[in-house]
């Protein structure tokens, strides 16, 4: 603590940031909690319904459960692409002699591009008529039978809207994991190799435990970001066809701004927050416990 | 790229082996492994980057070429006509200006308020600072969607809907915690003695902030600015919710208009517009590449 500080000086530095944060983040969270107990369309009088919204959400709303399962699917695909892809490319990169900077730059490029641009791009990539990049590539490698309209096929649409999100940020996580891998002491690796450890053993027994703290942080960031994923599914399919690519976030958005059901939309929003908190708790529990074992 | 460097690096070794005894088997295996790694990495990078190259190629194709041609083929001709159509149908210049205003407004708030809060929490210190830190942590975990409905209602009540401020406030608010944590983890490393010496010379908390803490923060400021610029420049959800009039639309919203405005989508012009819209950030990224990569990797591991 600074010796000459006064209480006033603390307030002068602390109050402005706290004020912005309260208006933009804290107050809206409380308001959402409050609204989630009401039925309100923004025009007529608010009607207190107690836990009614929550009861309907969990027991009566089939769209909600579809959206929830879709969100889990979206999460799994994003995590595989982002974390799996990041770990793979980062460890390959540590074995390269040259061109590491170039690979890092190119791999990160998609992270700089807006979701609207990405949505346009993938709309063309998935296109069937005329054949987009994906369908054309399938034809070229002799898998023409697999061609489909990826965004209007109920069985493929969820994967189709998840992949762009995974693709977009994999470079970012790769950078973080790569930096962590570089920090693993060389002596450990060499000692393991001298003892005859295979590449795979060196990786799982030496390197991975070393980067575990960073891995936990990265998993948390990737998970919370995937759970709040909204832009790409909203822009590409708006949840359709039917509810095949509806996520909790797109469902909440439509409930709020298309059906103007502010109360119920807030209930869904509160659920998304709880879901994020539970996910973070689970990750900490699972990954930390493994570290102790 | 990487594939071309790999054989080159192994070439001199092969020629030198003619003079010296042949290399042990393990070395040759390492070389094969390294070449294979290079090839795999190159393939992954091509898959990762090809969509972007294709985006650019499409934007300089003629319309007929796009309609009839093979998407993997090279353009049959080079045309900039798509770009002129993109500028004449949309409001690209205005959209870019709006994005600049929103991004710089939010960034200034994030940097200045972030430094102030970190200074109060880390350097000045006070009772209850742990609690305040906890409050800021909420903003990192909680998804932004929770704020949409309440802010929409609040803005409507105070006539802030459809203004620059309506986008700047939540963008800055939700990015503030990360900025505070980056600044405070840096302030931890400024030695106590520096502050004590300044205090003995009679400097108060304001002078110490202006003359010691702020000048030392420059590197962290660069990190904070760059990491946040990407997310704020590309923001879609807040702008889409709070902005209604065409005059205030940022780049992501402006792009979205290309579908509605033309009924049947003019893809080559749309792709030209997309190329224009990503250029400012892409240029900044390529020029400041090193600093940005450093910022992103350290920002993630510290968060």
């Amino acid at each position: 603590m600074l010796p000459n500080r006064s209480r006033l000086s603390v307030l002068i530095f602390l109050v402005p940031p706290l004020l912005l944060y309260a208006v933009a983040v804290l107050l809206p969270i409380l308001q959402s909690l409050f609204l989630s107990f009401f039925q309100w369309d923004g025009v007529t009088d608010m009607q207190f319904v107690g836990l009614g919204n929550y009861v309907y959400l969990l027991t009566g709303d089939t769209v909600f459960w579809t959206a929830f399962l879709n969100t889990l699917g979206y999460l799994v695909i994003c995590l595989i692409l982002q974390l799996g892809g990041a770990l793979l490319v980062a460890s390959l990169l540590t074995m390269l002699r040259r061109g590491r900077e170039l690979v890092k730059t190119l791999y990160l490029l998609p992270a700089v591009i807006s979701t609207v641009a990405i949505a346009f791009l993938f709309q063309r990539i998935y296109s069937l008529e005329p054949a987009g990049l994906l369908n054309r590539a399938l034809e070229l490698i002799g898998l023409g039978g697999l061609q489909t309209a990826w965004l209007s096929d109920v069985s493929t649409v969820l994967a189709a809207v998840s992949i762009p999100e995974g693709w977009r940020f994999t470079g970012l996580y790769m950078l973080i994991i790569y930096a962590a891998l570089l920090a693993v002491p060389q002596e450990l690796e060499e000692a393991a190799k001298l003892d005859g450890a295979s590449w795979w053993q060196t990786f799982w027994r030496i390197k991975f435990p070393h980067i575990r703290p960073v891995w936990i942080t990265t998993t948390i960031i990737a998970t919370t970001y995937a759970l709040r994923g909204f832009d790409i599914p909203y822009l590409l399919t708006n949840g359709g066809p039917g509810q095949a690519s509806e996520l909790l976030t797109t469902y909440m958005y439509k409930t709020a701004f298309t059906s103007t059901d502010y109360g119920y939309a807030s209930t869904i929003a509160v659920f998304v927050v709880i879901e994020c908190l539970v996910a973070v708790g689970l990750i900490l529990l699972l990954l930390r416990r493994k570290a102790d074992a | 790229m990487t594939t071309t460097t790999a054989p080159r690096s192994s070439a001199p070794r092969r020629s030198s082996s003619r003079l010296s005894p042949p290399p042990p088997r393990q070395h040759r295996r390492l070389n094969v492994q390294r070449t294979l790694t290079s090839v795999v990495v190159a393939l992954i990078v091509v898959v990762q980057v090809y969509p972007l190259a294709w985006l650019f190629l499409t934007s300089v194709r003629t319309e007929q070429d796009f309609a009839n041609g093979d998407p993997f083929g090279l353009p049959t001709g080079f045309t900039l006509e798509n770009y002129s159509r993109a500028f004449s149908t949309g409001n690209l210049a205005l959209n870019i200006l709006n994005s600049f205003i929103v991004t710089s407004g939010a960034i200034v708030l994030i940097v200045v308020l972030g430094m102030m809060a970190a200074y109060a929490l880390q350097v000045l210190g006070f009772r209850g600072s742990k609690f305040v830190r906890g409050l800021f942590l909420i903003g990192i975990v909680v998804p932004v969607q929770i704020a949409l409905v309440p802010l929409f209602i609040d803005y409507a009540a105070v006539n802030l809907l459809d203004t620059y401020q309506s986008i700047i406030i939540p963008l800055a608010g939700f990015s503030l915690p990360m900025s505070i944590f980056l600044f405070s983890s840096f302030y931890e490393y400024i030695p106590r003695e520096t502050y004590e010496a300044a205090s003995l010379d009679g400097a108060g908390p304001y002078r110490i902030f202006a003359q010691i803490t702020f000048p030392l923060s420059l590197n962290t400021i660069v990190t904070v600015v760059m990491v946040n610029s990407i997310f704020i420049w590309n923001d879609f959800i807040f702008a889409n919710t709070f902005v209604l009039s065409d005059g205030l639309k940022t780049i992501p919203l402006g792009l979205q208009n290309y579908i509605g405005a033309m009924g049947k989508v003019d893809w080559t012009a749309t792709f030209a517009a997309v190329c224009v819209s990503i250029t400012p950030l892409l240029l900044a990224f390529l020029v400041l590449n090193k600093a940005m990569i450093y910022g992103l990797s350290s920002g993630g591991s510290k968060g």
Side-chain angles (χ1 to χ4, degrees):
Chain A
M1 281 189 208
L2 219 57
N4 289 359
R5 77 197 162 82
S6 58
R7 179 168 292 179
L8 179 69
S9 66
V10 171
L11 288 180
I12 284 178
F13 280 105
L14 191 65
V15 167
L18 211 50
L19 205 65
L20 171 76
Y21 184 68
V23 168
V25 181
L26 294 179
L27 188 67
I29 292 177
L30 294 178
Q31 280 179 298
S32 273
L33 263 177
F34 178 79
L35 280 172
S36 69
F37 298 109
F38 288 85
Q39 197 170 48
W40 190 38
D41 59 5
V43 183
T44 54
D45 284 342
M46 289 168 77
Q47 214 182 340
F48 181 75
V49 291
L51 287 173
N53 284 335
Y54 288 93
V55 172
Y56 177 67
L57 184 82
L58 296 174
T59 57
D61 190 349
T62 51
V63 179
F64 165 78
W65 286 109
T66 315
F68 179 63
L69 291 177
N70 285 343
T71 303
L72 292 183
Y74 183 84
L75 173 69
V76 169
I77 294 174
C78 284
L79 287 186
I80 290 174
L81 281 176
Q82 291 176 343
L83 297 180
L87 188 62
L88 176 75
V89 175
S91 39
L92 286 176
L93 203 55
T94 57
M95 294 192 268
L96 276 192
R97 278 235 176 122
R98 297 189 201 178
R100 290 182 182 189
E101 293 304 315
L102 182 68
V103 173
K104 277 201 273 183
T105 308
L106 290 176
Y107 207 62
L108 190 60
L109 270 187
V112 188
I113 292 164
S114 71
T115 45
V116 180
I118 288 175
F120 273 123
L121 181 60
F122 274 85
Q123 213 171 326
R124 296 317 300 166
I125 288 178
Y126 290 134
S127 156
L128 179 63
E129 196 58 50
L133 281 187
L134 182 57
N135 284 322
R136 181 79 182 114
L138 284 174
E139 197 183 311
L140 286 178
I141 56 172
L143 292 172
L146 291 178
Q147 287 185 338
T148 175
W150 301 93
L151 287 175
S152 30
D153 189 326
V154 181
S155 58
T156 58
V157 66
L158 184 63
V161 298
S162 315
I163 287 168
E165 179 78 20
W167 168 75
R168 185 158 90 100
F169 281 134
T170 176
L172 184 60
Y173 300 114
M174 189 275 279
L175 277 187
I176 298 171
I177 292 168
Y178 173 73
L181 281 177
L182 279 193
V184 177
Q186 284 280 305
E187 305 88 65
L188 282 180
E189 212 185 319
E190 276 154 22
K193 276 205 186 120
L194 281 180
D195 288 343
S198 67
W199 182 87
W200 188 246
Q201 280 172 321
T202 326
F203 184 80
W204 278 115
R205 298 281 168 82
I206 311 285
K207 284 192 175 175
F208 192 75
H210 226 272
I211 65 164
R212 190 187 294 272
V214 176
W215 182 256
I216 294 177
T217 320
T218 317
T219 311
I220 290 178
I221 304 177
T223 306
T224 51
Y225 267 85
L227 286 178
R228 67 178 78 164
F230 167 81
D231 297 11
I232 292 172
Y234 177 77
L235 290 162
L236 271 181
T237 61
N238 197 13
Q243 259 90 36
S245 62
E246 191 87 82
L247 302 184
L248 286 177
T249 48
T250 57
Y251 182 45
M252 177 248 142
Y253 200 83
K254 283 194 240 172
T255 311
F257 300 108
T258 310
S259 338
T260 54
D261 191 346
Y262 291 151
Y264 193 56
S266 299
T267 313
I268 305 173
V270 170
F271 183 88
V272 175
V273 172
I274 295 172
E275 179 193 59
C276 278
L277 294 177
V278 169
V280 172
L282 277 180
I283 293 168
L284 287 176
L285 202 75
L286 291 174
L287 290 178
R288 281 240 175 104
R289 181 174 294 170
K290 247 197 227 157
D292 296 337
Chain B
M1 222 167 47
T2 44
T3 35
T4 55
T5 57
R8 208 185 298 146
S9 66
S10 62
R13 196 164 303 160
R14 214 175 296 146
S15 61
S16 70
S17 71
R18 231 175 283 154
L19 304 170
S20 52
R25 239 182 84 216
Q26 202 177 357
H27 270 221
R28 200 172 305 150
R29 202 171 61 194
L30 266 181
N31 268 343
V32 171
Q33 210 176 41
R34 205 162 267 143
T35 315
L36 244 158
T37 313
S38 306
V39 172
V40 172
V41 171
L43 269 177
I44 294 176
V45 169
V46 166
V47 171
Q48 176 87 348
V49 177
Y50 188 76
L52 300 178
W54 180 69
L55 177 73
F56 174 72
L57 286 179
T58 306
S59 76
V60 295
R61 270 176 215 264
T62 59
E63 268 180 285
Q64 293 93 329
D65 184 19
F66 177 73
N68 314 325
D70 178 352
F72 282 104
L74 285 171
T76 50
F78 175 86
T79 172
L80 287 176
E81 203 199 309
N82 301 318
Y83 284 85
S84 68
R85 265 206 327 284
F87 272 100
S88 64
T89 28
N91 253 334
L92 276 182
L94 183 65
N95 296 147
I96 290 180
L97 177 72
N98 285 334
S99 281
F100 264 116
I101 295 174
V102 168
T103 308
S104 36
I107 289 286
V108 167
L109 284 176
I110 291 166
V111 169
V112 173
L113 297 179
M115 277 196 296
M116 288 168 68
Y119 185 72
L121 288 166
Q122 192 71 39
V123 181
L124 297 179
F126 55 93
R127 242 200 288 157
S129 62
K130 271 213 172 129
F131 173 73
V132 175
R133 252 176 226 275
L135 277 186
F136 281 120
L137 199 62
I138 296 175
I140 291 183
V141 184
V142 163
V144 296
Q145 284 92 354
I146 185 103
L148 292 176
V149 170
L151 283 179
F152 190 85
I153 296 167
D154 297 346
Y155 286 153
V158 295
N159 266 330
L160 265 183
L161 270 184
D162 212 14
T163 58
Y164 289 126
Q165 299 93 295
S166 65
I167 326 176
I168 292 176
I169 291 170
L171 281 174
F174 274 95
S175 309
L176 192 57
M178 192 57 103
S179 148
I180 294 173
F181 288 116
L182 278 175
F183 280 117
S184 8
S185 62
F186 169 68
Y187 291 169
E188 259 182 287
Y189 291 103
I190 300 179
R192 293 273 75 161
E193 294 78 38
T194 321
Y195 292 125
E196 275 153 21
S199 292
L200 284 179
D201 288 345
Y206 312 106
R207 259 189 69 192
I208 290 180
F209 179 76
Q211 295 186 345
I212 298 178
T213 314
F214 172 65
L216 284 175
S217 312
L218 284 180
N219 279 328
T220 315
I221 293 179
V222 173
T223 307
V224 170
V225 168
M226 285 191 302
V227 174
N228 286 298
S229 299
I230 298 180
F231 290 99
I232 293 174
W233 180 270
N234 289 336
D235 162 71
F236 169 73
I237 194 166
F238 288 125
N240 189 49
T241 314
F242 302 135
V243 161
L244 313 160
S245 54
D246 280 332
L248 290 176
K249 285 191 172 165
T250 53
I251 273 283
L253 294 189
L255 276 187
Q256 208 195 1
N257 270 4
Y258 276 79
I259 280 191
M262 299 174 201
K264 172 179 152 286
V265 185
D266 180 352
W267 282 107
T268 47
T270 305
F271 275 23
V274 170
C275 281
V276 172
S277 81
I278 61 183
T279 306
L281 214 54
L282 210 59
L283 279 182
F285 172 71
L286 292 175
V287 171
L288 302 167
N289 174 10
K290 274 250 167 72
M292 198 171 277
I293 283 183
Y294 169 78
L296 286 173
S297 31
S298 63
S301 50
K302 273 175 196 159

